[in-house]
């Protein structure tokens, strides 16, 4: 039992990934119960996490680790503390409901298994991010979430919009991931450890390090791209191309929160500085307001929700940026509240679209309350929680939030504006589609049980959490806040705070929001124009950059890859000559002739013979003369080998020369004589290029003579050839014993070349032009 | 000594590259042959020329009295010679097949054949 | 090419060339030679035969398909890497046994020898695959 305890975290993670991989097969065997079978993976996680609440609540973190690559200091380390617990519970809990929801949403869809695979793999990656305690492990899982979300957004890969949205999300988040990696590496370097739990205890070393600002900015870019912060927010609404279960999961409650999680996790290490507060609060506030205002102009259900998600993420970053005890508590509470209401609304939105045959605009929806009473109930509960109406958990969170901003009147104003927008959106999604008259031609019915379960649990959950907000605050929010703040604090959440200034502000927000909703038509027009303006910003920059890259790629491919062999050789050769030449110049040119041995007459004669033969080979207009000259070069090589103590090479070279002549003679039966001459201009250019290669290579050889290896590996071979390998011919011993694996590779290459040649000549297509 | 070989290597490279840029398939193959000679000689020379005899231990002796020629470049070149032969043969067959399929041995024309 | 002199010479040269190739292969561990050169010699013997007579005749003399020769060689080289695994050495580590000879004295025999024989067959097979294929092309 104790042994199992030690490994439980990564076993549960592994189960998620195994479930993901097996999803298509499970779906093939039991298509109707795929979800029911696969939900066991997240459920196991939920049960385990719930069982750990008391322990973690008391301040004990659970750590499990084992070595992975010892020499790199890489270990698989997991750690469950208050912050991880809060996020992991949200991820696996909503994950379980989403898996069931998928079962209903994709009922009868042939690709359901594939979707399940993606979404469960995504869940596993996300759990990995929040549970990992080693920086590099965090990064690996982080990238996995980008990758799996790419697959999810592009699930309908036959739609060009879906493909583009997937690519956009991928490029933005992966680009951010690169920045993040740089930041994490610098941070690990500054802290001298790769374990997150140790890094967060060395905050001072990092904030006072000379690289601190670079680390902060790099990590922030990584987190901001993932969490759709301004100016990287644009990919999130576009990602609504994903099937609803994916949106409900990735874009409301989990993936986008990875950035927020990371910032929260690193707050003890990077926070408590002016830079931190400045960057996070500014960007967070901009994103919060921008998302809220842009949401007003939307009429498509999922986009409405997407923009408010952007806004909510901005709010979390803002609260984190201020970094006081109170804002951190508020942020932890808001994360919980947001997960509940936003997932509910997404699921209901998907249900509406699903059951009305694809209707997505709230302006064309209405009167669904009779057809979909349960969805209506859930949506209303969630919508009210979102708006911050009592007695829902959204209200409780909003109260602590306002309390925390007591010293920042400007931010309170921002909160009122944003809050009013939330009320409007809450009504628009939780009230508008269900009330009034049903437009003609609209048919709808209630969603199946699997799709009802999620909204019911989460919608009612918002109410239940509020009722039990005291214990919830103590058990879940407080440990998370302590992990972020890295100091002791206490969380007391109240459903009824008593009448004070913040309560009044809260009520005022609700009233403004409700009035705005009633006057929605005007707002939509105005905000629509505004959001159109803003849309031209980063999204357009992204498009321009992407097009630019593609154009550049097309241009240089056209220039460099012409399909004419001569051009390829020219490019390769000229590049090599320039690079090597530059290296020569940088290293101070060629130096030292003193190591050279004296020139003997016979070598000089052979050298002259070889040079003349080469010229003859190049210059000859006749095939036979060319080949014979080439043969002369080869035989001279063989003789040179004998001069310098290489009888094996000499023998081999001699036989090979003979065989080459035979082979060429055989082939010449079938090939024509030289017929095609180049223009003079081409020849001149080629001659210049060839001569430059020759010069560079000559210099290279002479320079190589000065490279001294401290202990040449050959000495070992010379010493051990007879002693250990029973052979007097060291060359042969190297080939068949010391480096036998290389030789094995080489004879394999020979075999492949022969089989390739055989296939080319013997296996002919039956018909001309057939593939 | 090295200077002579270095110049020979340079000439072999220049000749090889020049022939590979010609339009006839056969010249391409011959150029390849020159280039592999050049490469083999380059490894050989760069490994250091020692006139201490072959790296073969005489009968009855247990260790080398004087340092012989370096055996490692020799082992490398030995396989390189055989492999470059196979590559030449493969190229030959490939070009033969190309010639028979598209009916030209002009490298520049092959580009037109794609269209 | 197919003159009487060439044919007759090839007929007489062929057997000694083959024997010589095996000699070069076996002496390779102590003197210049080895699987590569040996295989090349054997290959040239057959190539000469194919030139002097015909590829079909050379195939008849070889009896096996050259591709099978290659495969056998490759398999032999691979297998020679297995024995050291039993004594927990790395794959392809040279392993030696000392055999007593009937006439007195001992003979050292090791896996590198089998590896070299494998190389010999691969080189022979590859060469002949190339030569025969080109020679049979119409």
């Amino acid at each position: 039992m104790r042994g199992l305890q030690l490994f439980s975290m990564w076993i549960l993670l592994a189960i998620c990934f195994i479930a993901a991989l097996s999803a298509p097969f499970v779906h093939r065997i039991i298509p109707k119960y795929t979800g029911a079978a696969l939900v066991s993976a997240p459920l196991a996680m939920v049960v385990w996490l719930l069982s750990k609440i008391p322990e973690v609540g008391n301040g004990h973190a659970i750590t499990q680790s084992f070595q992975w690559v010892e020499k790199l200091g890489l270990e698989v380390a997991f750690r469950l503390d208050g912050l991880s617990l809060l996020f992991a519970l949200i991820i696996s809990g909503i994950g379980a409901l989403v898996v069931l929801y998928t079962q209903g949403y994709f009922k009868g869809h042939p690709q359901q298994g594939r979707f399940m695979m993606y979404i469960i793999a995504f869940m596993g990656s996300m759990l990995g991010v929040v549970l990992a305690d080693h920086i590099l492990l965090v990064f690996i899982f982080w990238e996995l979430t980008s990758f799996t979300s790419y697959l999810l957004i592009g699930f309908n890969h036959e739609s060009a919009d879906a493909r583009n949205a997937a690519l956009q999300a991928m490029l933005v988040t992966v680009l951010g991931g690169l920045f993040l990696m740089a930041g994490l590496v610098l941070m690990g370097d500054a802290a001298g450890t790769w374990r997150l739990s140790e890094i967060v205890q060395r905050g001072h070393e990092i904030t006072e390090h000379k690289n601190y600002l670079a680390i902060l900015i790099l990590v922030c870019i990584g987190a901001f791209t993932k969490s759709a912060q301004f100016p990287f927010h644009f990919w999130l609404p576009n990602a609504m191309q994903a099937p609803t279960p994916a949106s409900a999961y990735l874009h409301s409650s989990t993936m986008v929160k990875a950035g927020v999680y990371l910032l929260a996790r690193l707050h003890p290490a990077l926070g408590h500085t002016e830079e931190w507060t400045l960057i996070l609060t500014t960007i967070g506030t901009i994103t919060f307001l921008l998302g809220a205002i842009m949401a007003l102009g939307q009429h498509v259900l999922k986009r409405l929700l997407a923009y408010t998600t952007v806004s909510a993420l901005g709010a979390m970053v803002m609260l984190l940026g201020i970094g006081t005890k109170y804002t951190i508590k508020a942020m932890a509470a808001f994360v919980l509240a947001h997960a509940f209401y936003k997932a509910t609304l997404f699921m209901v939105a998907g249900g509406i679209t699903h059951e009305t045959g694809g209707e997505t605009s709230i302006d064309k929806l209405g009167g669904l309350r009779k057809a979909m009473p349960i969805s209506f109930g859930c949506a209303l509960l969630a919508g009210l929680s979102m708006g911050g109406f009592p007695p829902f958990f959204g209200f409780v969170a909003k109260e602590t939030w306002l309390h925390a901003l007591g010293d920042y009147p400007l931010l309170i104003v921002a909160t009122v504006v944003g809050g009013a927008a939330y009320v409007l959106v809450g009504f628009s999604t939780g009230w508008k589609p269900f009330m009034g008259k049903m437009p003609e031609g609209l048919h709808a019915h209630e969603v199946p049980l699997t799709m009802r379960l999620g909204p019911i649990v989460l919608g009612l959950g918002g109410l239940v959490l509020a009722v039990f907000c005291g214990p919830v605050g103590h058990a879940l929010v407080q440990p998370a806040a302590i992990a972020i703040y890295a100091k002791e604090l206490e969380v007391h959440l109240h459903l009824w705070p008593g009448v004070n200034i913040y309560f009044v502000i809260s009520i005022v927000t609700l009233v403004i929001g409700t009035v705005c909703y009633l006057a929605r038509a005007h707002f939509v027009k105005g905000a629509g124009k505004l959001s159109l303006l803003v849309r031209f910003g980063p999204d357009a920059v992204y498009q321009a950059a992407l097009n630019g890259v593609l154009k550049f790629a097309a241009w240089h491919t056209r220039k460099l890859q012409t399909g004419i062999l001569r051009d390829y050789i020219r490019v390769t050769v000229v590049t090599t000559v320039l690079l090597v030449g530059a290296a020569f110049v940088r290293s101070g040119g060629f130096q030292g002739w003193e190591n050279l041995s004296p020139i003997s007459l016979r070598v000089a004669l052979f050298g002259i013979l070889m040079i003349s033969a080469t010229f003859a080979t190049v210059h000859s207009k006749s095939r036979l003369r060319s080949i014979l000259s080439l043969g002369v070069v080869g035989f001279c090589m063989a003789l040179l080998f004998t001069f310098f103590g290489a009888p094996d090479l000499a023998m081999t070279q001699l036989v090979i020369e003979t065989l080459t002549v035979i082979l060429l003679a055989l082939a010449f039966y079938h090939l024509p004589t030289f017929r095609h001459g180049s223009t003079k201009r081409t020849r001149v250019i080629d001659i210049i290029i060839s001569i430059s290669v020759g010069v560079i290579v000559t210099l290279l050889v002479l320079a190589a003579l000065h490279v001294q290896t401290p202990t040449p590996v050959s000495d070992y071979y010379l010493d051990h050839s007879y002693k250990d390998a029973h052979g007097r011919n060291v060359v042969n011993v190297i080939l068949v014993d010391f480096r036998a694996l290389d030789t094995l590779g080489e004879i394999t290459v020979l075999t492949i070349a022969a089989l390739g040649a055989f296939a080319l000549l013997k296996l002919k297509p039956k018909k001309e032009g057939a593939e | 000594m090295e200077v002579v070989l270095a110049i020979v290597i340079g000439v072999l490279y220049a000749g090889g590259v020049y022939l590979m840029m010609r339009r006839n398939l056969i010249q391409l193959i011959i150029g390849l042959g020159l280039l592999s000679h050049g490469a083999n000689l380059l490894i050989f020379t760069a490994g250091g020329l020692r006139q201490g005899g072959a790296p073969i231990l005489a009968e009855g002796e247990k260790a080398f009295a004087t340092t012989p020629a370096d055996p490692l470049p020799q082992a490398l070149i030995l396989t390189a010679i055989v492999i470059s032969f196979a590559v030449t043969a493969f190229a030959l067959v490939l070009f033969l097949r190309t010639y028979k399929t598209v009916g030209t041995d002009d490298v520049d024309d092959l580009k037109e054949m794609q269209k | 090419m197919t003159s009487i002199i060439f044919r007759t010479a090839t007929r007489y040269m062929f057997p000694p060339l083959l024997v010589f190739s095996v000699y070069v292969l076996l002496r390779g561990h102590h003197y210049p030679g080895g699987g590569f050169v040996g295989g090349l010699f054997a290959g040239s013997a057959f190539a000469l035969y194919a030139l002097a007579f015909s590829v079909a005749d050379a195939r008849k003399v070889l009896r096996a398909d050259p591709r099978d020769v290659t495969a056998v060689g490759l398999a032999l080289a691979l297998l020679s890497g297995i024995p050291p695994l039993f004594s927990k050495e790395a794959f392809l580590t040279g392993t030696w046994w000392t055999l007593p000879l009937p006439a007195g004295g001992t003979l050292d025999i090791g896996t590198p020898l089998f590896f070299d024989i494998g190389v010999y067959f691969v080189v022979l097979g590859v060469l002949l695959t190339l030569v025969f294929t080109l020679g049979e092309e119409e």
Side-chain angles (χ1 to χ4, degrees), chain A residues 647-648 651-652 655-656 658-659 662-663 665-667 669-670 722 724-730 732-733 735-737 740-744 746-748 750-755 757-758 761-762 764, chain C residues 1 24 28-37 40-41 43-44 47 51 59 67 70 74 77-78 91-94 96 108 112 115-116 119 122-123 126-127 129-131 133-138:
Chain A
D648 283 287
M651 265 162 86
T652 313
V655 190
I656 285 283
T658 319
L659 283 165
I662 295 180
L663 209 64
L666 278 174
Y669 288 135
H670 310 287
Y722 187 66
D724 296 348
H726 305 253
R728 296 181 178 280
N729 181 354
V730 186
N732 185 265
V733 171
L735 284 174
V736 299
D737 197 335
L741 195 61
D742 296 352
T743 312
L744 187 64
E746 277 144 7
I747 56 178
T748 312
L750 287 180
T751 312
I752 293 167
L755 290 180
F758 179 84
L761 283 185
K762 293 273 178 177
K764 289 175 188 165
Chain C
M1 286 287 237
V24 168
H29 216 53
H30 290 310
Y31 311 98
F36 277 103
V37 192
L40 288 172
F41 269 118
S44 3
L51 272 186
R59 276 190 190 277
R67 284 175 297 157
T70 316
L74 209 50
L78 262 175
F91 179 64
L92 280 171
T93 309
W96 293 83
D108 283 353
F115 186 83
D116 222 8
V119 172
V122 171
V123 172
V126 165
L127 253 177
T129 308
L130 293 169
V131 171
T133 324
L134 266 174
E136 281 166 353
E137 180 72 7
E138 280 146 21

Side-chain angles (χ1 to χ4, degrees), chain A residues 656-705:
Chain A
I656 285 283
E657 262 340 289
T658 319
L659 283 165
T660 309
V661 171
I662 295 180
L663 209 64
L664 287 173
L666 278 174
F668 279 9
Y669 288 135
H670 310 287
L671 283 171
T673 48
F674 299 166
R675 293 184 299 196
H676 318 284
S678 320
T679 59
K680 193 171 178 193
R681 193 182 121 86
T682 315
R683 280 208 302 275
V684 170
I685 296 176
D686 288 351
I687 287 173
I688 294 172
I689 292 178
S690 308
I691 289 178
S692 65
V693 177
V695 171
I696 281 289
V697 170
T698 302
L699 287 175
L700 201 62
V701 174
L702 292 174
L705 294 171

Side-chain angles (χ1 to χ4, degrees), chain A residues 180-239:
Chain A
L180 177 69
M181 184 173 72
L184 291 180
V185 170
L186 282 179
M187 186 172 67
D189 194 44
T193 169
W194 295 97
R195 290 288 280 263
L196 274 174
S197 48
E198 291 166 15
I199 286 175
V200 294
Q201 288 168 2
R202 301 186 189 175
H204 281 293
E205 287 172 39
I206 298 173
T207 48
E208 283 157 20
H209 197 272
K210 61 179 181 340
N211 287 337
Y212 169 68
L213 195 62
I215 296 173
L216 179 66
I217 290 174
L218 290 168
V219 168
C220 278
I221 291 178
F224 288 172
T225 48
K226 198 78 158 184
S227 280
Q229 297 295 296
F230 177 83
F232 308 112
H233 60 279
F234 57 91
W235 69 264
L236 181 59
N238 292 345

Side-chain angles (χ1 to χ4, degrees), chain C residues 30-121:
Chain C
H30 290 310
Y31 311 98
F36 277 103
V37 192
L40 288 172
F41 269 118
S44 3
F46 281 100
L48 271 181
Y49 202 91
L51 272 186
F53 300 94
S54 72
V55 173
D57 289 329
R59 276 190 190 277
K60 252 183 237 156
V61 176
L62 181 65
R63 296 194 185 173
D65 188 307
R67 284 175 297 157
D68 293 342
V69 176
T70 316
V72 168
L74 209 50
L76 194 61
L78 262 175
L79 287 177
S80 79
I82 308 273
L85 297 181
F86 292 108
S87 45
K88 296 207 169 164
E89 296 269 8
F91 179 64
L92 280 171
T93 309
T95 311
W96 293 83
W97 300 277
T98 307
L99 300 178
L101 288 180
T106 55
L107 175 68
D108 283 353
I109 205 163
T111 50
L113 176 67
F114 295 102
F115 186 83
D116 222 8
I117 298 174
V119 172
Y120 174 92
F121 280 122

Side-chain angles (χ1 to χ4, degrees), chain A residues 272-297:
Chain A
H272 302 299
T273 62
E274 283 176 19
E275 295 92 332
W276 168 277
T277 307
L278 185 71
I279 296 177
L280 268 74
T281 313
T282 313
I283 297 291
T285 312
I286 292 176
T287 313
F288 169 58
L289 285 176
L290 188 76
I293 292 169
M294 283 168 74
L296 298 179

Side-chain angles (χ1 to χ4, degrees), chain A residues 525-589:
Chain A
K525 247 189 229 162
K529 274 180 201 154
L530 190 68
S531 67
L532 210 67
L533 267 177
V534 181
R535 266 193 68 118
F536 273 108
D539 205 355
V541 172
Y542 164 83
Q543 282 303 339
L546 190 63
N547 289 341
V549 169
L550 291 178
K551 266 189 195 148
F552 176 70
W555 171 79
H556 88 69
T557 307
R558 218 168 31 242
K559 287 284 166 198
L560 295 181
Q561 320 249 329
T562 54
I564 295 173
L565 182 67
R566 183 182 306 112
D567 292 343
Y568 290 89
I569 297 178
R570 279 180 175 174
V571 169
T572 316
V573 163
V574 170
T575 313
T576 313
V577 167
L578 289 180
L579 286 179
V580 177
F584 262 118
V585 174
R586 271 175 59 117
S587 65

